[in-house]
Amino acid sequence: MQFATFILATQRGYHQTSDSVIHDAIEQTVLSEQAGFDTAWFAEHHFNNYSLVPSPLMMVAHCAGLTKRIRLGTAVCVLPLYQPQRLLAEIGFADVVSNGRLELGVGSGYQQFEFERFGVNIDNAPAVFSEYLDIVLKGLSQKIFSHSGQFMQIPPTAISVRTIQKPSPPIWIATGSPSSMRRAYRERHNLLVTALHNGLETLGALRGMIQEAAAAEFKSPGDAKISLLRCCYASADGAEINR
C-alpha cells in the first residue's frame, strides 16, 4: 500500500486570500515529500472557491522544481474542457520538467456550472471523454497521429515535447462507472475511485463493482492500481473536526 496527498486547495472563507491558499497547497506538497508520501495529487476546478487550482499540470510543473522524489499527479484533468492536442504538449512538458514523475489522472467532469461557463454540454461529457482519451493515447504513443471522430477531426499532427516515461506516464481514470472501469482494465490503466464521505457499505459496493469490471475483461482486480480517495481532517480539537 502507498499513501498520497490529495490537494484540493479549498478557499474555506474569504478571510483567506487566493494567493495564501495556493502557497499553502505548494507548501503541503513539499511537506508531503518530507513526510514520506509517495504522490501528491492536484485537483482541477473552475469559477468557485471549492478548489483554486485551474490547471493541475501547472501545479505539477511548479512543484517539480521544489521536490525531488515525490510523484506528482493530476486528479484530474477534465478532458471535455480541454483541446486534446494542446493537452498532449502540456503533458509532455510536465513530465520533462518533473524528470519523469508525472502521474496522469483524467476524468469526464461532473460540475454542470463549470461546463456551462466553458460552453460545453455536460450531457456529452462521457462520450467526449472517451474520444479525447483515444486522442491522448494516440498522441502519447505515436510521433505523428491523426484522428477522425464524432467530436474532433485532427489532420496528421506531431507533438514535439515527448514524455520521458515510455510509452507514457501512468494513466489513471477517475470513475464510478462500470464501463470506464472495464476500459481501464482492458487498456491497462489505473483507477481513481472514492466513496466520498460514506462508510463501509458504500466501500463494499465499490469493491464489488471493481471486481465485476475486472472479471468482465478476464482480469483480476490487482491487475490495475487502485487509488481510493478518503477524506480526513487532523486536529486535537473535536469541535474543530466536526466544524
Side-chain angles (χ1 to χ4, degrees), residues 20-241:
S20 69
V21 173
I22 292 168
H23 282 101
D24 283 349
I26 294 167
E27 182 181 5
Q28 186 179 353
T29 304
V30 174
L31 292 173
S32 294
E33 177 172 75
Q34 294 173 2
F37 283 82
D38 297 283
T39 308
W41 295 96
F42 306 106
E44 175 186 333
H45 286 287
H46 305 275
F47 316 119
N48 61 67
N49 62 350
Y50 173 63
S51 173
L52 298 188
V53 178
S55 170
L57 284 170
M58 287 184 71
M59 283 291 285
V60 168
H62 178 75
C63 292
L66 303 175
T67 58
K68 294 181 179 179
R69 177 199 57 80
I70 194 169
R71 295 189 65 81
L72 303 166
T74 62
V76 293
C77 291
V78 183
L79 290 192
L81 304 183
Y82 282 85
Q83 189 177 52
Q85 308 94 307
R86 178 173 183 138
L87 178 62
L88 276 163
E90 293 177 354
I91 290 168
F93 185 91
D95 199 47
V96 168
V97 298
S98 66
N99 292 317
R101 287 186 283 146
L102 175 64
E103 300 279 329
L104 180 61
V106 294
S108 60
Y110 66 94
Q111 294 197 356
Q112 183 166 343
F113 73 93
E114 294 185 343
F115 278 71
E116 289 173 347
R117 283 153 182 78
F118 280 111
V120 179
N121 186 347
I122 197 170
D123 293 336
N124 295 331
V128 174
F129 168 80
S130 181
E131 182 172 326
Y132 283 13
L133 180 55
D134 289 341
I135 296 170
V136 168
L137 294 173
K138 286 181 183 179
L140 289 172
S141 61
Q142 303 172 22
K143 290 185 177 180
I144 299 177
F145 73 97
S146 59
H147 179 81
S148 178
Q150 179 183 357
F151 301 101
M152 184 71 67
Q153 304 290 323
I154 304 175
T157 300
I159 304 298
S160 300
V161 183
R162 311 298 300 181
T163 60
I164 291 176
Q165 299 179 85
K166 304 300 181 188
S168 73
I171 294 173
W172 300 74
I173 297 179
T175 182
S177 158
S179 61
S180 292
M181 290 179 180
R182 287 189 60 173
R183 177 171 186 174
Y185 279 101
R186 184 167 60 251
E187 298 181 359
R188 300 179 182 275
H189 306 317
N190 302 315
L191 293 174
L192 289 165
V193 297
T194 181
L196 300 174
H197 293 282
N198 298 321
L200 293 178
E201 183 177 347
T202 302
L203 284 169
L206 180 61
R207 179 187 176 110
M209 189 184 302
I210 293 171
Q211 289 174 322
E212 290 177 8
E217 298 298 327
F218 305 100
K219 307 284 188 181
S220 69
D223 288 334
K225 289 185 177 181
I226 301 169
S227 181
L228 174 66
L229 173 64
R230 295 298 280 168
C231 302
C232 64
Y233 187 87
S235 173
D237 185 334
E240 180 183 15
I241 291 169

